[in-house]
Amino acid sequence: MDKYGLIGYPLGHSFSISYFNQKFIDEGIDAQYENFEIQTIEALLEVLSSNPNLRGLNVTIPYKQKVISYLDSISPEARAIGAVNVIRVDHDGNRTILKGYNSDVIGFTQSIEPMLEKWHKKALILGTGGASKAIDYGLKALGLETVFVSRFKRPGTVLYKDVTPEVIKEYNVIVNCTPCGMYPHTEECPELPYEAMDNHTILYDLIYNPDETLFMKKGKVHGANTKNGLEMLLLQAFASWEFWNGKNIEQQTPISPTAE
């Protein structure tokens, strides 16, 4: 039986384990998905050695960057973003070959692209955490200019107080990459001039619990088009399966022995 899994710490509730094990049942696939809650990235080697039938892994916090030095190769997208969340595990005799990918870009771009119109040329990315780099990469791939918004003064970002109604009119695609508004803090939302939004505004929230965040609700009142992160999560799962089992996998570049 083939095995797939998720590495991270702590794991808690995992969308992936329920999604993939249900997929295997529904499609009659002889495979199992398991959570590997490892306290250090070094424990990845034990996971690999004790699971010789492992075909693929998802990677979550805090190992999306740390895992790169353990890989044999990495996709151009994952290298540009500096994070890996999907690993394909191949076996060549006694040697295990690890190939790294990032499914955030695929999931996000496929989810937001149908919403985009000709007047969507510039985007605000709320937050500067791990997911924001992938969102930035995806928006630029779709032809949009981007600006990061942060609570703190950082190079290459603007503060929330600098996001005026005029900015909202110009940067009419806004993606929330922060946990603000996530359950149980459902009464919170990013501080923005929502009154400046209209039916030309897109609000995309990576959060999917609750289904409709206050960020989305406040924009919708003024006519904004909104979407949460659930579809992105499903598309990422599809992408993971393709990375693990697809034949036409994109070009990869080797990892330098000194890569961090």
Side-chain angles (χ1 to χ4, degrees):
M1 178 187 292
D2 290 336
K3 187 178 284 190
Y4 301 87
L6 172 68
I7 60 168
Y9 187 85
L11 290 181
H13 169 73
S14 163
F15 167 86
S16 297
I17 191 168
S18 55
Y19 171 83
F20 280 108
N21 281 326
Q22 189 61 51
K23 173 186 173 70
F24 299 154
I25 292 168
D26 292 344
E27 299 181 22
I29 298 170
D30 187 23
Q32 179 184 10
Y33 193 101
E34 186 175 328
N35 281 351
F36 299 104
E37 192 172 66
I38 55 177
Q39 294 190 31
T40 66
I41 189 59
E42 289 79 13
L44 171 63
L45 299 176
E46 171 62 24
V47 170
L48 294 168
S49 63
S50 58
N51 295 278
N53 53 343
L54 196 63
R55 293 276 307 277
L57 289 167
N58 291 120
V59 184
T60 190
I61 296 170
Y63 302 130
K64 290 185 180 184
Q65 289 83 33
K66 294 176 182 177
V67 77
I68 292 174
S69 61
Y70 287 79
L71 305 177
D72 296 286
S73 62
I74 187 171
S75 71
E77 286 181 341
R79 183 180 288 281
I81 295 161
V84 163
N85 67 350
V86 182
I87 300 173
R88 176 172 169 145
V89 183
D90 289 329
H91 301 279
D92 182 9
N94 292 326
R95 183 164 173 257
T96 299
I97 301 166
L98 304 180
K99 301 176 181 179
Y101 303 88
N102 189 297
S103 64
D104 287 339
V105 175
I106 295 171
F108 173 69
T109 54
Q110 289 182 353
S111 181
I112 198 171
E113 189 171 20
M115 303 177 74
L116 298 175
E117 303 286 354
K118 60 180 183 294
W119 52 79
H120 295 126
K121 300 180 185 302
K122 297 183 180 182
L124 296 178
I125 299 171
L126 309 183
T128 57
S132 66
K133 285 186 179 179
I135 299 310
D136 180 50
Y137 187 99
L139 287 168
K140 286 177 176 172
L142 292 170
L144 279 73
E145 293 181 33
T146 60
V147 169
F148 288 95
V149 183
S150 175
R151 290 176 297 160
F152 309 105
K153 196 73 175 173
R154 289 190 174 99
T157 68
V158 300
L159 295 170
Y160 280 91
K161 68 179 180 63
D162 298 325
V163 180
T164 62
E166 291 74 26
V167 170
I168 292 290
K169 293 293 186 187
E170 185 178 0
Y171 290 80
N172 52 10
V173 177
I174 306 172
V175 184
N176 180 34
C177 300
T178 77
C180 184
M182 184 185 294
Y183 180 85
H185 305 290
T186 56
E187 297 310 307
E188 297 176 1
C189 68
E191 293 183 25
L192 298 169
Y194 291 92
E195 68 279 1
M197 298 175 185
D198 58 27
N199 61 3
H200 287 73
T201 310
I202 291 174
L203 296 188
Y204 193 106
D205 203 328
L206 298 196
I207 294 169
Y208 56 92
N209 184 13
D211 291 339
E212 187 175 54
T213 59
L214 187 57
F215 166 72
M216 294 165 64
K217 286 178 182 176
K218 291 182 74 167
K220 189 177 281 187
V221 165
H222 298 284
N225 298 300
T226 65
K227 185 179 275 193
N228 70 16
L230 183 59
E231 184 183 51
M232 175 178 166
L233 203 62
L234 289 165
L235 290 166
Q236 285 177 273
F238 298 157
S240 292
W241 185 251
E242 185 60 28
F243 286 139
W244 293 332
N245 295 281
K247 305 303 180 188
N248 300 316
I249 298 301
E250 66 191 74
Q251 182 69 36
Q252 291 222 324
T253 54
I255 295 292
S256 161
T258 58
E260 290 299 328

